[in-house]
Amino acid sequence: MTTFYLVRHGETQWNQEQRLQGWLDSPLTENGRAAAQRLHKQLQPIEFAAAYCSSSGRARETMDILTAKRQLPIVYEDDLREIYLGDWQGQTIEDILANHKLDYELYTNYPAQFIATHTESFGAVTERAMFTLKKIADQHPDETILIVSHAVTIKCIVNAILQRSISELWTAPYIHGTSVTVIERQEQQWAVKEIGNLHHLQ
C-alpha cells in the first residue's frame, strides 16, 4: 500500500489579499511559514520515501520547510500545480466579481455548471493530478510519500477518489493552508483517510 500525505502550501501574500494565483505566484507570508514549521515538527516521526511537489514557487517554499534536515529525493511536477485560472490570475476576487460575476459565482457555487473558457476545467485538473498520483504509486509500492500541492488540485483528487460528481467538488471540509489530506492506494483501490487535517495548528 502506498500512503500519500497531501499538503496544501502555506498562506501566501496573494491569499491574504484575496487575489487568485492559479499558475502565477506569490511568496509565503510569515503566518504561512510559521504554519509550515509547525507541520514540519508534526511530520518528523513519519518516514517518507520521497517527496513530490508542485513546481509553483509557493509549493516549493513550503516543501523546503517541511523537508528541512531530511535527506529526501524531491521531484517537482507541473501536473501537481493549481488549476490554471486564465484571465483571473493576479486579480482580486472583488475585481473578478465586478467584471465576471456570473462566471465566478458558477465557479464557486455551481462547479458542474461552470464552463471553462479562459481557464482550465476541473476535469482536466483531475485527470492530470490522478495520472501523476498513479505514476507515483507505481514507483513507490508500500511506501509513504509527501506531496505539496494546492487547494483545488487536492479537492479534485479527493472528489475523484470518492467518486463524487463535479457538483460536489466544494463539499466541506475546506482545504486550508498547510492542511494535510491522507490517501492510500492498495493495488488499484484508492481510499481517503483524512481531509484537510489541521491538528498541527491546534
Side-chain angles (χ1 to χ4, degrees):
M1 180 175 68
T2 305
T3 302
F4 293 93
Y5 283 71
L6 280 81
V7 177
R8 184 189 175 189
H9 62 82
E11 180 194 65
T12 68
Q13 288 183 9
W14 281 11
N15 290 153
Q16 210 172 53
E17 296 169 12
Q18 293 201 303
R19 193 178 295 276
L20 299 192
Q21 293 175 119
W23 287 7
L24 297 184
D25 229 335
S26 68
L28 299 190
T29 62
E30 188 174 327
N31 285 342
R33 290 190 294 273
Q37 290 282 6
R38 290 174 73 170
L39 181 57
H40 164 76
K41 290 178 184 174
Q42 181 178 287
L43 294 177
Q44 278 182 333
I46 300 170
E47 292 188 20
F48 293 108
Y52 289 77
C53 184
S54 156
S55 54
S56 294
R58 59 194 184 275
R60 296 171 75 115
E61 192 177 352
T62 304
M63 181 65 86
D64 287 347
I65 295 168
L66 297 183
T67 57
K69 300 181 181 176
R70 285 187 190 254
Q71 298 298 313
L72 264 187
I74 303 174
V75 179
Y76 299 99
E77 288 274 3
D78 286 345
D79 284 342
L80 291 173
R81 282 183 296 180
E82 184 58 292
I83 186 171
Y84 174 71
L85 289 174
D87 299 342
W88 294 346
Q89 296 185 155
Q91 292 194 47
T92 64
I93 292 172
E94 185 179 6
D95 288 341
I96 294 165
L97 285 172
N99 298 299
H100 307 276
K101 185 177 174 67
L102 177 58
D103 272 355
Y104 191 71
E105 287 184 347
L106 290 175
Y107 175 84
T108 53
N109 298 319
Y110 305 98
Q113 297 176 41
F114 175 71
I115 298 171
T117 52
H118 61 95
T119 72
E120 189 176 14
S121 70
F122 296 121
V125 177
T126 303
E127 188 175 342
R128 63 172 164 84
M130 288 305 299
F131 174 82
T132 303
L133 286 193
K134 288 171 185 171
K135 179 178 70 175
I136 296 169
D138 288 343
Q139 292 172 354
H140 298 277
D142 303 315
E143 292 181 322
T144 302
I145 305 299
L146 176 63
I147 290 181
V148 176
S149 187
H150 305 265
V152 179
T153 308
I154 293 169
K155 276 288 192 186
C156 286
I157 290 167
V158 169
N159 219 47
I161 293 172
L162 295 179
Q163 299 183 331
R164 292 173 176 163
S165 70
I166 293 294
S167 64
E168 298 174 277
L169 182 65
W170 305 128
T171 300
Y174 183 79
I175 304 298
H176 290 277
T178 70
S179 67
V180 180
T181 296
V182 181
I183 63 175
E184 295 174 349
R185 191 213 199 192
Q186 178 77 47
E187 296 179 349
Q188 300 303 312
Q189 299 298 311
W190 294 85
V192 178
K193 295 300 181 181
E194 286 185 274
I195 304 174
N197 186 309
L198 286 170
H199 287 169
H200 59 290
L201 299 182
Q202 294 167 1

